Amino acid sequence: MPLTTSCPSPQLLGDAARDRVHSLELPARWASVGAARSAAGEWLRTWGLPEESREDAVLVLSELATNAIRHTPSAQFLCCLGLTADNLIHLEVHDHDTTARSLIPCSPSPDDEGGRGLLLVQHMAERWGAARSVFTGGNVVWARLAGARSTSR
């Protein structure tokens, strides 16, 4: 399926080659985070991206997927990954939560076990944000990571 991003980003994935856009719909359970990480890692590897870029993208995607499971009533979620024409890694996680929620990174204390996911995304991404998903009617949280220079060129 061709991906038309629903994010308000200035560059849409419509300029990406078909073989550089992938999506995967998964049930909203914890094992699906591992499945999303595995699939994303393989897609990024086939694009010849450096290991550090792949690891960063997989980590960000897993944080977004974890949030979709933990913070929404969705029974499933959609992970999308693309490589833009200027070699930015574009990640999206779409949920089915139709309630309006704000996505503000919280300030966890050193003893808190969670609450750092969006802080991590904010730190690692060149840009990130949230919008209404055109695919699910819920939310899409997206991130763009820089430094995705291909090793196969």
Side-chain angles (χ1 to χ4, degrees), residues 94-115:
H94 301 253
D95 64 43
H96 292 267
D97 186 1
T98 57
T99 62
R101 297 178 191 262
S102 62
L103 297 174
I104 301 169
C106 59
S107 299
S109 74
D111 295 330
D112 289 340
E113 291 183 19

Side-chain angles (χ1 to χ4, degrees), residues 34-95:
R37 289 175 63 96
S38 179
E42 187 56 37
W43 295 329
L44 293 163
R45 195 173 2 271
T46 63
W47 296 337
L49 299 178
E51 183 176 359
E52 184 177 352
S53 296
R54 294 191 316 254
E55 289 173 354
D56 289 351
V58 167
L59 179 59
V60 168
L61 183 67
S62 69
E63 290 297 332
L64 299 180
T66 296
N67 284 348
I69 294 168
R70 179 172 286 164
H71 300 293
T72 74
S74 301
Q76 57 200 23
F77 63 96
L78 176 67
C79 292
C80 302
L81 182 137
L83 189 62
T84 65
D86 56 351
N87 282 333
L88 293 175
I89 300 170
H90 182 91
L91 308 165
E92 295 181 358
V93 172
H94 301 253
D95 64 43

